[in-house]
Amino acid sequence: MLASIIWNIDPILFSIGPLSVRWYGLMFAIGFMAGYYIVARMFRHEGAPEKWLGTLLIYLVACTVIGARLGHVFFYEWDYYSQHPSQILRVWEGGLASHGATIGIFIGLCIFSWCVARKSPSWTIDKVVVPVSLVGGLVRLGNLMNSEIYGGPTSLPWGFVFIHDGQTLPAHPTQIYEALCYFALFGLLMWMYWRRNAEERPWLLTGVFFIWTFGTRFLIEFIKNPQESWEADMPLNMGQILSLPFILIGIFMAVYAITRKREHWTFPDRFPEEK
């Protein structure tokens, strides 16, 4: 018998009557609450109006869910959903894609920047990617609780046997690998913002986010099981193919930010008075 970790956690944290609270949903909620606090502190630091926060949160939640759902529909299961369009709205049954969420968030934040903040999209997006990296790590822990999105067989001592998914052999806990990468990225971006004033180089934080997030995702996919059966014989799976454009965009953003003259901002460290 190989040394391994038996993973038999119930995806449901607790139930009250017909209502069930799942670990996955809890991780999402914790991430959004923590993200709200982090962005609020950034807004205060830069003297942005506090009233923008509520609107920004609505944009983020809506665009994350819509983008993640449509990403799964179009990138992974279009053959099914094109024949059953009414099923697209059944988000609670599962089926969310991180690449779709990224696209949705990017579009939503551009609209917020132009219509609400009246600033360049880089001003908003460079802030939001910081807590998004934290949310990404928490969501992967939610995947771990769901016993989903794990890797192939392994003889390593930290291999997980996912009982709830009917597995009997230890597998790579790729959810943990990705979560650790996202948490490390969160620490790096926080350091860049608060210690190095990286916000004075528009698009630098976003560029680093894209390179790190999708670069590690690209590498981890090599040991992850395919999400769909049609990916089994592909040299690169859909997750890797979708990651490549984001990596290239991230490199372009980082180079663009570093080669431009640094801006010099003032930081009042207080919210402006409401008018």
Side-chain angles (χ1 to χ4, degrees):
M1 178 69 69
L2 296 175
S4 59
I5 298 169
I6 304 301
W7 190 253
N8 196 25
I9 299 295
D10 191 337
I12 298 176
L13 179 58
F14 63 86
S15 298
I16 302 176
L19 177 65
S20 295
V21 176
R22 302 177 69 90
W23 285 102
Y24 187 86
L26 178 63
M27 294 297 103
F28 246 118
I30 292 174
F32 274 112
M33 288 188 292
Y36 183 90
Y37 172 79
I38 292 168
V39 174
R41 185 67 188 88
M42 291 174 170
F43 272 32
R44 178 185 175 88
H45 179 59
E46 297 181 22
E50 187 176 13
K51 63 183 180 181
W52 288 354
L53 289 167
T55 305
L56 177 60
L57 181 62
I58 294 172
Y59 272 76
L60 273 175
V61 173
C63 292
T64 298
V65 175
I66 293 172
R69 183 57 170 174
L70 293 181
H72 177 78
V73 168
F74 289 114
F75 298 149
Y76 291 98
E77 292 196 67
W78 176 242
D79 287 346
Y80 173 80
Y81 286 107
S82 63
Q83 301 300 316
H84 305 85
S86 63
Q87 300 296 309
I88 294 176
L89 299 178
R90 301 175 73 86
V91 179
W92 57 89
E93 294 183 354
L96 301 174
S98 58
H99 295 90
T102 302
I103 295 172
I105 291 171
F106 195 90
I107 294 173
L109 293 182
C110 285
I111 296 173
F112 172 86
S113 300
W114 294 324
C115 299
V116 179
R118 306 290 182 178
K119 293 179 178 289
S120 166
S122 65
W123 182 87
T124 308
I125 298 173
D126 276 344
K127 293 174 180 57
V128 171
V129 294
V130 179
V132 164
S133 59
L134 174 63
V135 174
L138 291 171
V139 167
R140 283 296 177 253
L141 293 183
N143 295 136
L144 177 66
M145 296 301 185
N146 283 347
S147 297
E148 61 187 1
I149 316 182
Y150 50 84
T154 180
S155 59
L156 294 171
W158 56 80
F160 275 50
V161 179
F162 293 98
I163 302 297
H164 270 280
D165 205 36
Q167 298 299 307
T168 58
L169 294 176
H172 282 286
T174 50
Q175 315 98 320
I176 296 178
Y177 300 168
E178 288 191 67
L180 291 175
C181 290
Y182 295 148
F183 291 146
L185 174 61
F186 171 67
L188 173 63
L189 294 178
M190 287 286 281
W191 175 79
M192 291 176 65
Y193 181 90
W194 291 107
R195 298 299 182 187
R196 307 301 297 175
N197 287 347
E199 67 275 22
E200 294 181 336
R201 293 190 180 278
W203 295 119
L204 179 58
L205 290 165
T206 305
V208 171
F209 172 84
F210 279 173
I211 295 169
W212 188 305
T213 299
F214 295 103
T216 55
R217 171 73 182 271
F218 182 88
L219 296 175
I220 292 173
E221 287 290 332
F222 282 112
I223 58 173
K224 187 187 295 184
N225 287 329
Q227 292 190 46
E228 303 296 334
S229 58
W230 50 264
E231 295 180 285
D233 296 326
M234 297 172 63
L236 297 177
N237 64 29
M238 182 58 72
Q240 292 172 308
I241 293 171
L242 293 173
S243 292
L244 288 173
F246 287 103
I247 296 171
L248 294 175
I249 292 171
I251 293 172
F252 174 80
M253 286 179 168
V255 172
Y256 171 81
I258 293 172
T259 55
R260 289 188 65 200
K261 185 178 180 180
R262 187 187 190 97
E263 299 178 3
H264 295 285
W265 298 5
T266 57
F267 301 105
D269 204 30
R270 61 180 175 82
F271 292 119
E273 295 182 5
E274 297 289 344
K275 295 181 180 180

